[in-house]
Amino acid sequence: MKDVLLQNAFLGVIIGILTSCPMGPVGVLCVRRTLSRGQNAGMLTGLGAALSDTTYASIVYLGVGLVISLIETYQSVLTIVGSLLILAFGIFLYATPPRYDSKDNEKSSQYNTWQILVSSFFLTLSNPTIIFFFIAFFGRYNFVHQTPFYWGVFVYSMCFIFIGALLWWALLTTIVSLFRKKIGLASLRTFNQLVALVFIVVALIGLGSALFGK
């Protein structure tokens, strides 16, 4: 059990970071709010996104836990499928430029703390495709593997996914605050391409381990 907890702590942080770092609508919104209203507003946006991501991660984890025997039986297949999904997303992310078209109201300078948090939460929640990323990463890293199911391990694992996501948003808002005069769409696209390359490398390693390992 100790090994499971240590593994899930490490992988939870990694999964939380990887699912948060693509510069989609919420990422752009976080950057915009950081530039216009400061790092606190950006962090509140990231906090809302992290809570939403953790909600989806919990749904996937619980759903996966119900069919744990199937996962153990088809671990190699799930690793291959998960890696292919991650690879496809990496290629899509690399080829798609970010846009300043997030659903943020420009009059929202009057937003209070809860409005910033809740708007970010529901904007992230409105994109259920994040479920597929969690399925892919959970399958790729064999993240759900304990039998029988333990609620304590579930809560513990979700906490580290949340921590990983929050670490990402803290890093992003800090960088934007430091270089706020140099941030533009070109910079965001370069960043997205770097993130996409990380996804592609992770996917290729997963495919290699599944096809040629053991």
Side-chain angles (χ1 to χ4, degrees):
M1 179 61 70
K2 183 178 180 180
D3 291 340
V4 170
L5 293 178
L6 289 175
Q7 176 179 313
N8 277 24
F10 174 75
L11 290 177
V13 171
I14 297 300
I15 291 172
I17 292 173
L18 288 177
T19 52
S20 299
C21 61
M23 197 58 61
V26 178
V28 173
L29 177 59
C30 180
V31 170
R32 289 178 59 185
R33 284 179 172 174
T34 303
L35 291 174
S36 62
R37 290 167 236 169
Q39 188 172 4
N40 288 340
M43 272 303 300
L44 284 171
T45 303
L47 177 60
L51 289 170
S52 181
D53 286 346
T54 305
T55 299
Y56 276 130
S58 300
I59 293 172
V60 173
Y61 191 103
L62 291 173
V64 169
L66 294 176
V67 290
I68 191 68
S69 60
L70 291 177
I71 288 180
E72 292 176 344
T73 302
Y74 299 105
Q75 181 179 343
S76 296
V77 174
L78 284 174
T79 299
I80 293 173
V81 172
S83 296
L84 289 174
L85 287 173
I86 296 169
L87 179 61
F89 176 70
I91 294 172
F92 173 80
L93 184 63
Y94 188 90
T96 305
R99 298 170 56 192
Y100 280 128
D101 59 353
S102 59
K103 302 176 183 178
D104 192 25
N105 188 341
E106 290 300 331
K107 298 180 180 179
S108 59
S109 57
Q110 299 178 351
Y111 274 14
N112 61 32
T113 297
W114 286 107
Q115 287 173 319
I116 293 174
L117 179 66
V118 171
S119 64
S120 172
F121 176 84
F122 282 106
L123 176 59
T124 308
L125 204 65
S126 68
N127 180 26
T129 55
I130 190 68
I131 287 178
F132 296 104
F133 299 137
F134 282 116
I135 292 174
F137 282 120
F138 286 3
R140 165 67 181 85
Y141 291 115
N142 192 27
F143 189 70
V144 186
H145 51 75
Q146 71 277 3
T147 306
F149 179 84
Y150 293 106
W151 280 102
V153 176
F154 160 69
V155 174
Y156 174 89
S157 301
M158 294 305 100
C159 284
F160 278 97
I161 287 180
F162 175 76
I163 289 171
L166 209 56
L167 284 174
W168 164 250
W169 295 115
L171 176 62
L172 177 63
T173 56
T174 299
I175 292 174
V176 172
S177 296
L178 291 174
F179 300 99
R180 58 192 311 163
K181 294 182 180 180
K182 300 180 180 180
I183 300 294
L185 285 177
S187 300
L188 294 181
R189 181 168 192 180
T190 299
F191 175 80
N192 257 8
Q193 289 176 333
L194 291 174
V195 172
L197 291 175
V198 172
F199 273 68
I200 291 170
V201 169
V202 168
L204 292 177
I205 291 175
L207 286 173
S209 66
L211 295 174
F212 305 110
K214 300 181 180 181

